């Protein structure tokens, strides 16, 4: 029987460990196999008594420790007994994913199967050592009738087909078919959560938790709200893992390609401190800031890209349609063509006759560049260093990297993440090789016992203001607060530089278009003056 083979709302039994006990407690008799525990009764006596009251319930060889109070006998051992039945509604204390365990719901003796014991009398957990191992997950493809009566296909990872059926049924879907996913089943659309998706989802999740809604139910609501199939599936996978008893961070680790490493580590910290809603709010603010920065960059680049595309289209039109018409006129009149005109005509003929080669060449060059940039670290670093030395562009890149680094670093420090762990996380959330090298240098210095600021000293990519603020934060013990101030400062600088670039790009593009169109017109007009002089 699989983990999700039942939909009963059973509450897990809470196990207790018996140690030193006071035999003088009112109405309570402590029973243990350990003869060294003072004030206890040997299990044979209790077993005989229970056999008389409730035959077939317990025996001396089956119990590790019992507590008898009046007529009620409860089996207690040093193994946590968790019911395999899952509460899909997950609204009762003690249910998987609930914020509050149910310590008062311990079934009476005989209602649970008795644990097995080894030769020494120690309790053996169900499944032995295998119970500690991770249970294998398989990929399945399902077909359901959704809430609006439409047929819908999707993919889900679970232990068994029955788990998929029962889980989807608990969501009020009519399950038509569940089968193993084949290699030909392709999932359209990525599931990587973007900054704006994370910002909204984390805010909603924090709100639900503050309202007292259990964690699994909160994530289930997020899944129902999502309109993107990939994100919906990801949230349902989280719900499934939570119902299996995993923590939220462990469930996210299993989808590390969907959730950022920074978010996973922050949630893991929140689970240890017990302040999950607060950290969710902080991370929501963080990703909101990241999204705003990204939109600023996108807005700054939209105008020049659109203008360049239009200019390129006009240029192609002139070379493939307008220039050939003048070319035939020049040949008919035997005009003497200057070098510029002959060059323009040659380019026009080549594009008109071999346009497919031009497109292929451009596609190959772009593909090689992109693949090399992603795969070859030295090439990527070289390109980034060149861009970080160009006027205006260098300020945009450096200010953005410093703002992201310091803001993330401040968030990690303020929530108690170790500096070494923070540096490891920071090295994985940036793709700038210059910053990665500095962060790796910082980790090496920390390993030798040096300060953080020593790694940033003299680095051309680190502004002096940022370095001095790091030094001040270390000396005053307020590094997290200083990093927040640095992040705010460079975010403002980054926004100002982008606004300046937008103002500068417009006249530059106009000049560029004027030069290109002017060259083509000159190549056409110059032979016409030559023809006019010949006519005279």
């Amino acid at each position: 029987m699989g983990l999700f083979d039942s939909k009963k709302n059973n509450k897990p039994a809470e196990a207790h460990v018996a140690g030193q006990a006071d035999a003088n407690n009112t109405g309570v008799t402590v029973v243990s196999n350990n003869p060294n525990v003072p004030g206890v009764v040997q299990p044979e006596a209790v077993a005989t008594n229970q056999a008389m009251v409730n035959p077939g319930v317990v025996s001396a060889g089956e119990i590790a420790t019992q507590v008898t109070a009046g007529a009620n006998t409860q089996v207690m051992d040093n193994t946590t007994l968790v019911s395999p039945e899952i509460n899909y509604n997950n609204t009762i204390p003690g249910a998987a994913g609930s914020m509050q365990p149910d310590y008062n719901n311990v079934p009476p003796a005989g209602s649970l199967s008795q644990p097995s014991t080894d030769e020494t009398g120690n309790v053996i957990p169900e499944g032995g050592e295998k119970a500690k191992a991770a249970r294998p997950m398989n990929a399945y493809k399902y077909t359901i009738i959704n809430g609006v009566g439409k047929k819908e296909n999707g993919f889900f990872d679970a232990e068994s087909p029955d788990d998929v059926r029962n889980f989807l049924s608990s969501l009020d879907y009519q399950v038509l078919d569940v089968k193993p996913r084949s290699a030909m089943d392709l999932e359209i659309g990525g599931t990587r959560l973007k900054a704006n998706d994370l910002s909204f989802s984390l805010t909603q999740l924090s709100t639900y938790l503050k309202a007292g809604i259990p964690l699994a139910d909160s994530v289930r609501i997020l899944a129902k709200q999502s309109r993107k199939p990939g994100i919906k599936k990801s949230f349902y996978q989280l719900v499934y893992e939570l119902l299996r008893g995993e923590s939220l961070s462990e469930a996210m680790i299993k989808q590390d390609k969907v959730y950022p490493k920074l978010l996973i580590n922050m949630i893991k910290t929140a689970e240890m401190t017990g302040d999950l809603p607060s950290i969710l709010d902080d991370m929501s603010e963080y990703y909101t800031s990241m999204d705003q920065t990204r939109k600023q960059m996108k807005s700054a680049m939209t105008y020049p890209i659109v203008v360049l595309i239009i200019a390129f289209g006009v240029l192609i039109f002139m070379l493939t349609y307008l220039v050939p018409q003048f070319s035939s006129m020049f040949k008919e009149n035997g005009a003497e063509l200057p070098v510029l005109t002959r060059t323009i005509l040659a380019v026009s003929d080549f594009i008109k006759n071999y346009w497919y080669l031009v497109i292929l060449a451009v596609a190959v060059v772009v593909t090689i560049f992109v693949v090399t940039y992603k795969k070859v670290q030295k090439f990527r670093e070289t390109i980034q260093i060149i861009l970080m030395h160009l006027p205006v562009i260098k300020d945009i890149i450096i200010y953005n990297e410093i703002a992201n680094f310091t803001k993330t670093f401040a968030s990690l420090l303020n929530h108690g993440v170790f500096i070494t762990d923070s540096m490891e996380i920071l090295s994985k959330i940036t793709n700038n090789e210059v910053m990665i090298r500095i962060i790796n240098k910082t980790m090496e210095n920390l390993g030798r016992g040096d300060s953080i600021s020593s790694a940033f000293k003299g680095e051309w990519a680190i502004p002096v203001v940022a370095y001095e603020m790091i030094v001040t934060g270390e000396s005053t013990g307020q590094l997290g607060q200083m990093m927040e101030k640095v992040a705010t400062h460079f975010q403002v600088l980054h926004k100002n530089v982008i606004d300046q670039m937008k103002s500068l790009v417009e006249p530059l593009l106009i000049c560029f278009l004027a030069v290109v169109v002017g060259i083509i017109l000159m190549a056409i007009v110059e032979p016409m003056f030559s023809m006019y002089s010949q006519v005279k």
Side-chain angles (χ1 to χ4, degrees):
M1 179 176 292
L3 181 65
F4 287 85
D5 286 347
S6 174
K7 296 173 60 177
K8 298 178 181 178
N9 293 336
N10 291 345
K11 303 178 183 178
E14 298 292 337
H16 301 265
V17 180
Q20 292 288 340
D22 185 1
N24 296 323
N25 288 342
T26 305
V28 177
T29 302
V30 180
V31 185
S32 176
N33 282 328
N34 189 350
N36 297 322
V37 178
V40 302
V41 179
Q42 295 300 310
E44 288 80 0
V46 175
T48 303
N49 182 51
Q50 289 297 315
M52 296 173 62
V53 177
N54 191 7
V57 173
V58 293
S59 63
E62 292 176 329
I63 57 176
T65 304
Q66 288 189 344
V67 180
T68 306
N72 295 325
T73 301
Q74 298 177 349
V75 178
M76 305 293 180
D77 59 28
N78 57 359
T79 303
T80 301
L81 300 178
V82 180
S83 172
E85 311 297 347
I86 297 298
N87 170 31
Y88 282 92
N89 295 325
N90 195 25
T91 55
I92 59 172
S98 174
M99 302 289 289
Q100 179 182 359
D102 182 6
Y103 293 104
N104 300 318
N105 185 41
V106 181
S111 62
L112 292 176
S113 60
Q114 303 303 316
S116 303
T117 57
D118 58 15
E119 296 178 354
T120 62
N122 296 323
V123 177
I124 302 175
E126 185 177 354
E129 294 297 327
K130 295 181 180 180
K132 300 179 181 179
R135 290 165 289 195
M137 302 286 283
N138 302 304
Y140 296 96
K141 179 180 180 180
Y142 63 81
T143 303
I144 60 173
I145 301 295
N146 59 25
V148 295
K150 294 183 178 180
K151 186 179 291 188
E152 180 180 324
N153 295 321
F155 304 98
F156 199 79
D157 297 335
E159 291 185 40
S160 66
D162 289 339
D163 276 8
V164 180
R165 292 179 183 277
N166 292 328
F167 181 78
L168 294 174
S169 297
S170 71
L171 302 175
D172 297 327
Y173 294 142
Q174 181 183 349
V175 182
L176 301 180
D177 183 41
V178 175
K179 61 183 179 181
R181 180 177 178 178
S182 66
M184 301 299 294
D185 293 328
L186 300 179
E187 191 169 2
I188 301 175
T191 57
R192 184 74 180 182
L193 285 172
K194 298 180 181 179
N196 59 339
D197 296 324
L198 287 169
S199 174
F200 176 77
S201 299
L202 294 177
T203 300
Q204 294 292 98
L205 184 58
S206 173
T207 303
Y208 297 147
L209 293 178
K210 290 177 182 177
I213 301 175
L215 180 57
D217 284 344
S218 300
V219 180
R220 184 187 287 115
I221 295 173
L222 291 179
K224 291 183 177 179
Q225 289 179 343
S226 178
R227 295 184 178 182
K228 299 179 181 179
I231 298 178
K232 181 187 290 288
K233 175 199 170 186
S234 173
F235 285 150
Y236 277 141
Q237 288 288 165
L238 290 183
V239 175
Y240 177 79
E241 295 294 340
L242 290 171
L243 294 178
R244 295 174 73 222
E246 300 285 358
S247 66
L248 181 58
S249 62
E250 290 171 343
M252 286 183 171
I253 289 174
K254 295 181 179 180
Q255 300 186 67
D256 55 355
K257 293 183 179 180
V258 178
Y259 299 97
K261 185 176 180 62
L262 171 64
L263 177 62
I264 295 175
N265 281 271
M266 294 300 289
I267 289 180
K268 186 180 297 184
T269 302
E271 290 170 345
M272 291 187 291
T273 60
D275 192 17
L276 183 58
S278 175
I279 289 187
L280 290 176
D281 288 335
D282 291 344
M283 294 309 298
S284 174
E285 180 182 350
Y286 169 82
Y287 285 112
T288 299
S289 176
M290 295 296 103
D291 184 52
Q292 290 175 349
T293 301
R294 184 187 64 83
K295 288 180 178 178
Q296 290 175 1
M297 292 290 294
K298 187 177 180 180
S299 174
M301 297 303 297
T302 299
Y303 178 79
I305 289 176
V306 171
V307 173
L308 286 174
I309 291 175
I310 294 175
F312 183 75
V314 172
L315 179 62
I316 294 298
F317 170 77
M318 294 179 69
L319 290 174
T320 57
Y321 179 77
L322 188 61
V323 172
Q325 292 184 359
F326 283 94
S327 174
S328 60
M329 184 182 67
F330 295 152
K331 289 180 181 179
E332 292 174 357
N333 292 275
E336 184 179 351
L337 302 179
V339 176
L340 179 60
T341 303
R342 293 198 300 268
T343 303
I344 295 296
L345 291 176
V347 173
S348 175
D349 291 338
F350 181 82
I351 292 177
K352 189 174 182 180
N353 297 324
Y354 302 100
W355 57 269
Y356 53 90
L357 292 179
V358 175
I359 296 176
L360 180 62
V362 172
V364 170
V365 170
V366 171
T367 302
I368 292 176
F369 180 86
V370 172
V371 172
T372 307
Y373 185 84
K374 290 183 177 180
K375 301 294 183 181
V376 182
Q377 183 266 342
K378 196 64 180 177
F379 178 79
R380 180 169 60 251
E381 183 177 3
T382 302
I383 297 297
Q384 291 173 347
I385 291 175
I386 293 174
L387 293 175
M388 293 173 73
H389 282 86
L390 296 177
V392 182
I393 296 179
K394 69 176 182 180
D395 292 336
I396 293 176
I397 297 176
I398 292 176
Y399 291 167
N400 183 60
E401 290 294 334
I402 295 297
N404 290 344
F405 171 82
T406 52
K407 186 171 185 65
T408 307
F409 193 23
S411 182
L412 291 167
L413 291 178
N414 292 337
H415 289 95
V417 180
F418 292 121
I419 293 181
T420 52
D421 295 336
S422 299
M423 288 296 166
E424 183 180 357
I425 295 170
L426 288 167
S427 67
K428 294 180 179 179
I429 64 174
T430 180
N431 59 357
N432 188 285
E433 296 296 333
V434 177
M435 292 300 299
I436 292 175
R437 176 181 58 79
I438 296 174
I439 294 172
N440 291 336
K441 181 181 176 182
T442 304
M443 288 192 287
E444 293 176 0
N445 288 1
L446 290 173
R448 295 195 300 265
D450 295 339
S451 63
I452 298 175
S453 58
S454 61
F456 293 84
K457 186 177 182 180
E459 290 288 346
W460 60 267
I462 304 298
V464 177
V465 175
Y467 169 72
E468 294 297 337
M469 292 290 278
I470 293 174
V471 174
T472 304
E474 284 184 316
S475 60
T476 60
Q478 297 179 342
L479 186 58
Q481 297 179 9
M482 288 297 174
M483 291 297 95
E484 287 182 347
K485 294 180 180 179
V486 173
T488 302
H489 174 69
F490 280 96
Q491 281 177 333
V492 173
L493 291 180
H494 181 257
K495 183 179 183 300
N496 293 337
V497 172
I498 289 178
D499 292 338
Q500 293 175 3
M501 188 191 73
K502 291 169 66 175
S503 302
L504 181 63
V505 163
E506 294 180 10
L508 288 178
L509 286 177
I510 293 174
C511 293
F512 172 75
L513 291 176
V515 170
V516 171
V517 174
I519 291 174
I520 296 177
L521 291 177
M522 186 179 297
I524 295 174
V525 172
E526 188 175 357
M528 296 179 67
F529 281 109
S530 175
M531 292 169 54
Y532 180 74
S533 62
Q534 291 178 3
V535 171
K536 279 189 173 182

